[in-house]
Structures are given as structure tokens and as C-alpha cells.
């Protein structure tokens, strides 16, 4: 049996055999040693019935005990046991249906929303600085992704434009924004023209594209923020006398968040018909309907109680924000597929990169600015 130490008994010398002679001193020695006697007595006790002595039993194999005198515990060379298939099968990590780490996404989203809304309400200049930092990170993400295709945009003039356009829009209005855009595009062209490396046309196009897509579109938020009263540079602790532009920006951001949140939840639960499977297969018509419904539930009370407008204004605003936000999401998905990347970066856990959060806002900001400007004419 496995685990038992076998007792190996050497065969006793027969009486007919001559005693052995030691080669060194020539004295006769007995073939049986004291150890053999003890082993023989032990073996005789366990001799099978009908066998007079252990000599008549089957000969035992020679083991390491006879050579070294040290008992050896046998170890099986085969497997101890066979594990069930379920225990040996490696299970892949669980992935959420919509491809996000939902707890991390919610945590990061709440933190960002608190920072943005808090700075908007109490220190608008701080919001401008925060949003400008987001724009610069977005430019870095896009230019890095484009560089993966061998197109290196001139990062220095593009970053200067990303810093200049938000400040120009907030402190100088639409004219300042247009001037900053023209100056940034001209600086990008001049900067790259002084470089003799090949691929200048693609490099300049990538730089101007980054300027138009990120800081220029985002600057419409700052045009809304300044409204008719102009920029606010001090703390706004009196929330009863808050600037109408701040309220407009908050409503726009709430509608963008509603678009993403309700669209995600309804799409995960009921999404079966993709809107554009080749661009974004996880965007479904059911999710789009959820975005419309959720944004409408937020927009109508917000415009009625915060802006003192008719209910249909909230409906128009909800439809415009959902369509613009969804278009921005599709635009970024198309660009990422073209560049062969899943996310622009992994700076924000559960979200990807900054551009994965700005994509909807970039298209929603001009639409919101146009709607509020038209409504201000009545």
C-alpha cells in the first residue's frame, strides 16, 4: 500500500553454502548479520500460511535498504489525483456588457461633475482654467493618436492655440475667438513650414484639425458663459443673482450627461438594433430613444424653473442636445476606428481619455449656443 515502508529481508545463506571469507583478513564470516536476524524474525511473523519460512515465499526485490541500510519512503511518480475540469479551466475576466468598468465610471463622472458645477457656480474663471486644461489634454491625446499613423502634428503652436482660444472667447467674445483661431492656424502653418522634414501637408492638416475640433468647438461654452453681461472674474457667492450664462452652461452639461447616462442604461438593457454598426456597434436605436426621453425629463423642468421659458423650449433643447451629443460620439468613434485605437488614452478610469468625455460636449456646445442665442431674440 502507498505510504507504507516495506521491510526488505535478505535471503539467508543455506547450510550447504560455505562461509564467506573476507578479502582483507581471511577470517570466515557468517552470511547472516544481526540485522538480517532481526529482519528474518520479523518476516517470519508475517509469512503467509502454508509456508514454513520466508525463504519459501516469493523473493523480494532488492531495494535501497539493502544497499544503504536507510529506509526509503516510496513516492508515486504519477498524479496524486485528477482535478475536475471546472477547476483547471482558466476563466476569462468578466467584462461589462457595454465595455465599461461601471463603478469606476460613476465615481469619476461624479467627481468631474462636482468640480465643473462647483467652479461654475462659485468661480467662473476657475471653470475656464479647468476646461482649458481639459482642452490641452484632449489635443495631446489626439495628436498622439495621429502620430501612431506616422503623421506628427506641430504640437507647440497647437498647444498655444488650445490655451489662447478659450481665454479669448471668455474675455473678448466671438471676435476674440475668431482672431485666436486664425492666429493659431497661421502659427501652425509657419511653424511646420520652417521644418524641412517630409510630410508637411499632412502635419499641418493634423494640427489645424486638432485646433478646430477641440479648443474651437469647446470655446462656444465660454461664449455662453459670458452671456450679455460679460466675463465674471470674482467669486459668485450670491447664488440668487447668478449670471444667466452660468445657468445655460449648467443646463447644457446636465443634458449631455443625461444623454450619455440614459442612453447607456437603456442600451444595455434593451438595445438590439444598432444605429451605425460599422462605426459604433454598441449605439442602438433603443439607447437613442432612452437618451431623448431622459434628456426631455431634465430639460423641460430646467428651462421652466431656471430660465423661465416655455416647456417647448426645453423640448427643442433636449432634441438638439441629444442629436448633437450623439453626432459627436459617432464622430470620435469614427476617428478612433480610422486611427486603430480603442480609447484616446486611459487617464480617466472607466471612461478612457479626456476626449472620450469631451466628444459629446464639443458638438453640443455650438448647438446650445445657437439655441440660446435665437431664444434671446424673442
Amino acid at each position: 500500500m502507498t505510504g507504507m515502508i516495506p521491510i526488505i529481508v535478505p535471503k539467508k545463506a543455506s547450510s550447504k553454502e560455505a562461509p564467506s571469507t573476507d578479502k582483507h583478513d581471511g577470517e570466515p564470516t557468517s552470511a547472516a548479520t544481526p540485522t538480517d536476524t532481526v529482519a528474518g524474525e520479523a518476516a517470519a511473523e508475517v509469512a503467509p500460511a502454508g509456508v514454513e519460512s520466508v525463504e519459501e515465499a516469493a523473493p523480494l526485490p532488492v531495494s535501497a535498504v539493502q544497499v544503504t541500510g536507510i529506509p526509503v519512503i516510496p513516492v508515486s511518480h504519477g498524479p496524486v489525483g485528477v482535478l475536475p475540469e471546472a477547476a483547471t479551466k482558466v476563466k476569462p475576466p468578466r467584462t461589462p456588457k457595454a465595455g465599461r468598468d461601471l463603478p469606476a465610471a460613476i465615481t469619476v463622472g461624479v467627481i468631474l461633475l462636482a468640480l465643473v458645477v462647483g467652479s461654475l457656480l462659485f468661480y467662473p474663471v476657475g471653470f475656464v482654467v479647468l476646461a482649458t486644461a481639459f482642452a490641452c489634454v484632449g489635443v495631446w491625446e489626439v495628436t498622439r493618436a495621429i502620430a501612431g499613423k506616422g503623421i506628427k502634428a506641430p504640437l507647440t503652436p497647437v498647444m498655444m492655440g488650445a490655451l489662447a482660444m478659450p481665454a479669448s472667447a471668455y474675455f473678448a467674445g466671438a471676435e476674440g475667438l475668431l482672431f485666436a483661431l486664425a492666429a493659431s492656424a497661421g502659427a501652425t502653418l509657419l511653424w511646420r513650414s520652417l521644418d524641412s522634414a517630409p510630410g508637411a501637408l499632412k502635419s499641418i492638416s493634423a494640427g489645424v484639425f486638432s485646433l478646430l475640433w477641440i479648443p474651437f468647438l469647446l470655446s462656444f461654452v465660454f461664449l455662453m458663459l459670458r452671456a450679455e453681461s460679460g466675463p465674471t472674474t470674482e467669486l459668485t457667492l450670491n447664488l440668487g443673482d447668478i449670471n444667466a450664462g452660468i445657468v445655460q452652461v449648467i443646463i447644457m452639461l446636465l443634458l449631455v450627461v443625461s444623454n450619455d447616462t440614459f442612453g447607456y442604461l437603456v442600451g444595455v438593457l434593451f438595445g438590439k438594433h444598432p444605429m451605425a454598426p460599422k462605426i459604433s456597434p454598441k449605439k442602438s436605436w433603443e439607447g437613442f430613444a432612452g437618451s431623448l426621453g431622459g434628456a426631455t425629463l431634465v430639460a423641460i423642468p430646467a428651462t421652466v424653473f431656471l430660465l423661465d421659458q416655455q416647456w417647448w423650449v426645453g423640448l427643442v433643447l433636449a432634441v438638439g442636445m441629444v442629436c448633437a451629443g450623439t453626432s459627436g460620439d459617432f464622430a470620435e468613434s469614427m476617428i478612433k476606428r480610422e486611427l486603430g485605437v480603442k480609447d484616446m488614452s486611459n487617464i480617466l478610469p472607466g471612461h478612457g481619455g479626456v476626449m472620450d468625455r469631451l466628444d459629446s460636449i464639443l458638438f453640443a456646445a455650438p448647438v446650445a449656443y445657437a439655441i440660446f442665442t435665437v431664444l434671446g431674440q424673442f
Side-chain angles (χ1 to χ4, degrees), residues 213 217 259-260 279 283 320-336 355-364 367:
W213 184 23
L217 293 181
N259 172 46
D260 290 343
I279 298 176
K283 293 287 183 182
M321 291 297 95
V322 170
C323 292
T326 304
S327 299
D329 207 355
F330 276 137
E332 197 215 9
S333 297
M334 182 178 63
I335 293 172
K336 288 193 296 186
M355 281 302 300
D356 296 297
R357 293 299 90 208
L358 286 180
D359 53 0
S360 300
I361 298 175
L362 294 177
F363 276 52
V367 175

Side-chain angles (χ1 to χ4, degrees), residues 36 59 77 102 130 160 197 199 253 260 327 342 358 368:
D36 297 334
H77 295 286
L102 192 55
L130 181 63
M160 293 174 60
L253 293 176
D260 290 343
S327 299
K342 183 181 183 296
L358 286 180

Side-chain angles (χ1 to χ4, degrees), residues 262-263 266-267 270-275 283-291:
F262 286 99
V266 176
F270 307 105
K272 295 182 179 179
H273 302 87
M275 298 179 67
K283 293 287 183 182
S284 63
W285 285 107
E286 291 82 1
F288 181 74
S291 296

